[in-house]
Each structure stands twice: as structure tokens, then as C-alpha cells.
Amino acid sequence: MLEPVNFKAKHGGAKEEGLIDFSASVNPYPPEWVEEMFERAKEISGRYPYWDELEEKLGDLVGEEVTVTAGITEALYLLGPALKGKTVIIPRHTYEEYERVSRIFGAEVVKGPNDPGELAKLVTQGSVVFFCNPNNPDGKFYRGRELKPLIDAVEDTNSLLILDEAFIDFVKRPESPEGESIVKLRTFTKSYGLPGIRVGYVIGFPEYFRSVRMPWSIGSTGVAFLEFLLEDGFEHLKRTMPLIWKEKSRLERELGVRSDANFFIMRVGNAREFVERVKSRGILVRDCSSFGLPEFVRFSVRRPEENDILLKILKDVIQRT
């Protein structure tokens, strides 16, 4: 009666200990208040977590009305009822969960170039477009003027643009477009270096998302995180992003790579073999085969001493290839 969905998405992140994990693209500097946050989570874990007031305060901090979700992943699945029977347009070489969610809910998937202008040509009446900005896995960030053809096409056809801004905090001088046909998805998983704490938010269509949201989805740890985040007021990001940008520039110079986010892709030949070779040296990078890029690996920016190790191993392995 229940048939499995014939599409599997793969994700980064170490599943074994003892490796320096460059496969997950997160802030390597966790907040100073993490231990206090966990103590607070223990205090409130004996009751059902409600966060209406925190959600409102987060909206004040962000400057727009928000809907809190258990990371972007929950938000994607909350879109399910809106995808059923629709044509869903997804760029090639992007986050796989868009396609998985679309297929689960019976949408027709159309693939196109990861270019806003070219993707706009595929938009039809009442369709849904997924666009990751900056894109995963290549880190390319498109500014408002570059996104305009896609936004115009969506508005002209009564369609919907799902703009995944998971990595926007890592972009220097970021900008985010406005529009009545845009849903913006954001998360704290990446920028606060806490992927195990599932807290994010949606901008746009709050009545819809709150009507389909699962009760208590972020749990007591997520509520505690929001409490400390609001007290922090994004100061943690202001302190740590310049550290990441400095190391990012160093990796760009040393390896000849380029990105607008906190991660890079690099052509290495056989990605699967390359991952195993560097893994034997103690580091984990992401095989991009699941993105349709079998000759590329993705790696993130970490702390200086860890990046020293990455540079040494990558250069050595590449030289021996």
C-alpha cells in the first residue's frame, strides 16, 4: 500500500568521528553561549514548547514577519500541498532536496540551467521555481538585478519563487529581493555552526506556513536557541564572519578557487576516489556526484589551523594524482 519514493537525496556531514569535517558548510565558530543554552533547554524540556512570542521578536530583529520552522528542511516539506500537481522548475547542480520533495508530492519536475535569465524562459502559468542563492554546491550568489528576469517571469505567470537563502549570512554585502510571489527560506544551522539544532524561518505567506506547520517542531533546544539568539542580536555573526572571509580569501589564493559563500567546489577528476584518498589522511570533503558533478568535490572554510591541514593534504593529493 505504501510504495517508497524512488529518489534519494545525499547530504554532507561526517557520520564517523576522528575526521576534520570540511563536507558540511557551517560556521566553525559556535556561539560562546552554547553551554548555557543547553542548560536552559534542560530547564524547559518538561513542558510543551511554544514560541509565538519569540517568533514575533525574531521578526522584529529580522525586520520582516517570519514563520519559525525546524530549519529549511521542514519549510520545504511544508510546501508539499502547494506542489501537488504543479510544474516545478529546478536548476541543475543544486540542492537535491528540492527534487525529492517535489517528487514526494507528485509534482512534475523540469530541470533548467542554474542561471536566472535562462531559468525564466521555462516558467509557465502557475508553476513553482526553486532557486538557491548563493547556490549549493558552487557558492554563486546572484544579486537583485540578475534575479530580476526570473522574478518578473514568476510574477507575470502567477507562479511562485522559492528562494533558498541558507548561506546568505556568509555573503559579503548581501541583498535579498522583495516580491509578493517570493518565499524566502533561511536557517541558523549554517551561520551559527549548530546543524543539530533545527531552527530556521520563512519570510512570506505566514498564514499558509503556520496553518501547515507541525506543532512543537523545534523542541526545547530550539526554543532555548531562539532565546539566546534574540539576546545576542546577531552579534555572533558580526564577530565571526570577518574571520571566515579572511580564511576564504586565503583558500582562494592558494587553490585558485572562487565562491561567494563559505565553501568551494574544485575539479579533481574522480571525486569518489579523491574523497577516499583525503579521508585516509584525516579530512572529509564532499563528493559532488549527487549534484551531477562527478569530477568535483566541495569543501568548506574552517579555522586557520584546520585550513592549514586542508591545504597541505589537497595539494599533496592533487600533486600525486
Side-chain angles (χ1 to χ4, degrees):
M1 292 177 65
L2 296 176
E3 296 294 328
V5 175
N6 189 26
F7 185 86
K8 294 182 178 179
K10 297 181 180 179
H11 303 289
K15 296 182 180 179
E16 55 190 276
E17 297 182 1
L19 299 170
I20 304 176
D21 188 6
F22 290 89
S23 72
S25 304
V26 300
N27 188 337
Y29 303 97
E32 297 174 353
W33 35 261
V34 166
E35 295 301 324
E36 296 175 73
M37 179 197 70
F38 283 122
E39 288 300 317
R40 172 61 176 161
K42 285 163 59 178
E43 289 176 12
I44 61 176
S45 61
R47 64 175 189 261
Y48 285 106
Y50 291 94
W51 57 83
D52 304 58
E53 186 178 344
L54 297 175
E55 185 172 67
E56 186 176 345
K57 290 180 179 178
L58 178 62
D60 292 339
L61 181 61
V62 172
E64 297 188 71
E65 188 173 7
V66 304
T67 304
V68 170
T69 58
I72 283 178
T73 303
E74 186 196 10
L76 289 174
Y77 283 82
L78 294 179
L79 284 163
L83 301 179
K84 190 173 182 180
K86 294 291 183 70
T87 297
V88 174
I89 301 164
I90 304 173
R92 294 186 186 90
H93 314 313
T94 195
Y95 186 45
E96 299 168 275
E97 209 65 43
Y98 311 146
E99 183 172 355
R100 183 169 186 265
V101 169
S102 299
R103 295 193 183 282
I104 286 173
F105 289 97
E108 178 190 356
V109 174
V110 174
K111 296 288 190 74
N114 196 56
D115 174 88
E118 293 300 313
L119 209 62
K121 298 175 183 178
L122 301 177
V123 178
T124 56
Q125 191 70 28
S127 57
V128 178
V129 184
F130 282 98
F131 198 81
C132 190
N133 197 38
N135 186 48
N136 179 13
D138 60 16
K140 169 68 176 174
F141 183 71
Y142 292 89
R143 300 204 167 267
R145 65 183 183 280
E146 297 169 295
L147 290 174
K148 191 175 186 305
L150 182 58
I151 295 171
D152 288 345
V154 165
E155 291 179 346
D156 291 344
T157 56
N158 195 30
S159 296
L160 189 65
L161 173 60
I162 313 300
L163 197 59
D164 182 345
E165 297 181 329
F167 296 98
I168 196 168
D169 287 330
F170 297 97
V171 177
K172 286 187 177 180
R173 298 176 297 279
E175 56 186 68
S176 183
E178 302 295 330
E180 295 182 359
S181 301
I182 301 174
V183 173
K184 293 189 274 193
L185 311 179
R186 294 182 185 169
T187 181
F188 298 112
T189 292
K190 319 294 184 185
S191 54
Y192 277 78
L194 298 169
I197 300 176
R198 310 302 304 159
V199 181
Y201 62 95
V202 179
I203 298 174
F205 300 91
E207 294 84 4
Y208 169 80
F209 282 99
R210 289 170 191 169
S211 73
V212 295
R213 176 172 60 182
M214 186 174 75
W216 315 303
S217 61
I218 67 172
S220 59
T221 305
V223 171
F225 173 83
L226 279 177
E227 290 177 348
F228 278 83
L229 173 81
L230 290 167
E231 187 176 342
D232 175 79
F234 297 152
E235 286 299 318
H236 178 69
L237 301 184
K238 295 175 185 177
R239 289 193 299 270
T240 58
M241 287 302 147
L243 301 176
I244 295 170
W245 293 334
K246 182 178 180 181
E247 282 300 293
K248 175 176 168 287
S249 295
R250 180 163 76 106
L251 293 180
E252 288 177 333
R253 291 193 306 270
E254 293 278 347
L255 297 172
V257 290
R258 180 76 179 87
S259 171
D260 296 308
N262 62 321
F263 53 86
F264 303 95
I265 59 171
M266 184 170 66
R267 188 187 294 272
V268 295
N270 188 314
R272 190 167 301 172
E273 291 181 2
F274 189 89
V275 168
E276 291 303 315
R277 292 178 70 182
V278 299
K279 186 177 177 181
S280 68
R281 302 279 296 271
I283 67 171
L284 183 65
V285 298
R286 173 76 188 272
D287 176 0
C288 289
S289 296
S290 62
F291 292 102
L293 298 168
E295 295 186 347
F296 288 82
V297 295
R298 190 194 70 192
F299 52 92
S300 61
V301 181
R302 295 194 59 83
R303 297 177 184 238
E305 62 274 17
E306 295 171 317
N307 294 332
D308 288 342
I309 296 171
L310 173 78
L311 286 168
K312 183 178 186 306
I313 292 174
L314 287 185
K315 289 179 179 180
D316 187 44
V317 171
I318 290 171
Q319 192 174 37
R320 294 169 182 265
T321 300

